[in-house]
Amino acid sequence: MLISHGRDIQDAHELSEALLETNTSIKLFFVNDDTVEQALERMPSNLPAVPATMRIHQVVTLAPGEILSHDVSCMCSTQKQSQCECCNTKHFSFVKKVPDSLSQRQTRIHWEDPEVVGQWCVLTYDKDLFPGIILAMDETHVQVKCMHRVGSNRFFWPAREDVLWYVFDDVLELIPPPKPVTTRHMEIPT
């Protein structure tokens, strides 16, 4: 409407100023490039992706690292939004939680035992958990063929094999084989 009435708007800052002059009841905030750059520098590089981002219409946060999202706008009060069920509310946490069954090594792995080769294990890589099959060992390392992550507890075999050597300390525990949840995806028993 401003442009159709002859107002020339060259950039986001001018748009913000013009909208503030209209005395709108909508809260407007202008975030400059420097603020965005500073936030990106402070942001961890290994944040998990929020699922179905393209469908999200509204995001509310009530605690650091936790968001509630809706596909449509929800008009519940802020106090009720943490329990809101009206608009298909979804909860997402940026904080990776290790399942209780994996949070502590339940039994010590006996690396000197040759029967460890061929067993399933859970290992940590870049602060994430991955299941894999132990292929070989030497004095300090273990070679593991790993699955790739597709969700919080969903894994799949990549088209190109992911085989790496890990130090023994990266392997948290031996596990039973993951259970299939679809024709392609598996999950670790918890």
Side-chain angles (χ1 to χ4, degrees):
M1 188 173 78
L2 291 169
I3 293 171
S4 66
H5 283 87
R7 180 82 183 252
D8 191 22
I9 298 175
Q10 297 291 325
D11 56 26
H13 187 264
E14 278 187 47
L15 175 63
S16 174
E17 294 293 320
L19 292 173
L20 287 172
E21 292 170 9
T22 63
N23 295 326
T24 179
S25 62
I26 299 171
K27 292 181 183 179
L28 300 171
F29 302 92
F30 178 75
V31 181
N32 62 32
D33 292 341
D34 293 337
T35 305
V36 172
E37 290 299 322
Q38 290 171 4
L40 289 174
E41 288 172 12
R42 290 190 315 264
M43 188 180 305
S45 61
N46 59 347
L47 284 176
V50 177
T53 305
M54 295 300 288
R55 286 188 289 168
I56 295 175
H57 182 76
Q58 181 183 33
V59 176
V60 177
T61 182
L62 302 173
E66 307 284 326
I67 64 170
L68 300 171
S69 64
H70 304 103
D71 295 345
V72 296
S73 292
C74 173
M75 299 304 165
C76 292
S77 69
T78 305
Q79 290 79 22
K80 288 174 54 181
Q81 277 182 334
S82 61
Q83 293 90 21
C84 171
E85 298 294 329
C86 66
C87 298
N88 195 17
T89 302
K90 294 177 185 71
H91 176 265
F92 183 79
S93 176
F94 288 97
V95 179
K96 299 228 189 274
K97 294 178 180 157
V98 178
D100 290 339
S101 65
L102 301 177
S103 61
Q104 297 177 354
R105 189 181 296 179
Q106 295 174 356
T107 58
R108 184 178 169 272
I109 299 172
H110 300 283
W111 294 112
E112 64 279 358
D113 184 356
E115 293 200 13
V116 169
V117 174
Q119 300 242 2
W120 280 88
C121 67
V122 171
L123 59 85
T124 180
Y125 180 79
D126 278 345
K127 299 179 184 174
D128 247 336
L129 299 176
F130 295 92
I133 299 173
I134 298 172
L135 301 177
M137 293 183 304
D138 65 15
E139 295 80 31
T140 58
H141 289 73
V142 60
Q143 186 184 42
V144 181
K145 176 180 166 184
C146 286
M147 299 184 85
H148 284 195
R149 176 180 293 279
V150 73
S152 63
N153 188 13
R154 294 286 189 276
F155 302 92
F156 67 97
W157 289 114
R160 187 174 177 190
E161 284 190 350
D162 185 353
V163 177
L164 290 173
W165 286 90
Y166 299 90
V167 294
F168 288 155
D169 289 344
D170 288 342
V171 179
L172 300 178
E173 69 177 315
L174 299 178
I175 61 167
K179 296 179 182 176
V181 289
T182 67
T183 56
R184 184 170 171 169
H185 298 141
M186 298 180 167
E187 69 181 9
I188 300 173
T190 54

